[in-house]
Amino acid sequence: MKKRIIAMTTVIVTFCAAFSAYAATPAETLQGMGIIEGYEDGELHMERTLTRAEFTKMFVDAFLTDTDEKNTDIKFTDVPNDYWGSEYIVKAVNAGVISGFEDGTFRPEETVTYEQAVKMIVSYLEKGNKSYPEGYVISAVDKGITDSVTALIGEEITRGDAVYLIDNTINYQEDIKTAAADEEALNE
């Protein structure tokens, strides 16, 4: 009996190890979805920071691809219509996930901070204002959105952090859908 248990345990451990060796990382998953792209050298460079415009593009590609642009005018004084990221910024504004700064700028080339990225995601998931940044961060932590993210409030996020934020949000949404479907099945 002990030999069977040991043999079964060995098979299970071997299977799990083999499966995990072939499981895609969050970066590979998002790259396959077209949400993150590599650089000219073919590498993702997960250690690099990204700009507010770059994160907005990733966010829009992940969550707002099917949205119609209600208003195509750029409302920010520092984002011309021919700026490479203007269409992504417009979509995010129309979805209510970004509002820019009080001086009417978006500052697309500034490095995005942890709390700015978290605010976009939580604003997408939940309607209504929260205290900034604490309210948004608490909500994200409660939902598991910040799992594996290394940045903290006031710090710039890396491409790796951005990948975890987006991947965790996708997983959170899938968990909500699954729970809703399970609840519906139980009520039938």
Side-chain angles (χ1 to χ4, degrees), residues 59-60 62-67 91-92 95-98 117-128 136 143 145 166 169-170 172-173 177:
F59 177 86
V60 168
F63 304 112
L64 302 177
T65 55
D66 296 332
T67 59
K91 282 187 176 188
V97 298
I98 60 172
V118 166
K119 182 180 185 236
M120 284 180 66
I121 290 170
V122 172
S123 295
Y124 167 71
L125 295 172
E126 304 172 6
K127 300 305 173 203
Y136 292 96
K143 292 173 175 42
I145 303 302
I166 290 172
T169 303
I170 291 168
Y172 171 78
Q173 289 181 304
K177 288 178 186 174

Side-chain angles (χ1 to χ4, degrees), residues 3-90:
K3 287 182 181 181
R4 279 189 178 171
I5 292 173
I6 291 171
M8 288 176 51
T9 303
T10 302
V11 168
I12 291 170
V13 169
T14 303
F15 175 77
C16 290
F19 179 75
S20 67
Y22 294 103
T25 66
E28 292 167 334
T29 301
L30 296 188
Q31 186 176 28
M33 296 169 70
I35 295 169
I36 189 170
E37 300 170 2
Y39 285 90
E40 292 173 2
D41 65 2
E43 298 296 321
L44 291 176
H45 292 288
M46 303 306 282
E47 75 286 354
R48 291 185 182 174
T49 59
L50 64 167
T51 66
R52 290 168 49 83
E54 290 169 330
F55 182 76
T56 301
K57 179 189 182 305
M58 288 176 66
F59 177 86
V60 168
D61 285 345
F63 304 112
L64 302 177
T65 55
D66 296 332
T67 59
D68 292 327
E69 295 178 25
K70 304 171 202 157
N71 178 7
T72 58
D73 293 332
I74 299 290
K75 74 176 214 165
F76 302 115
T77 58
D78 60 342
V79 181
N81 287 331
D82 62 349
Y83 178 71
W84 73 265
S86 63
E87 73 176 274
Y88 303 103
I89 294 167
V90 166

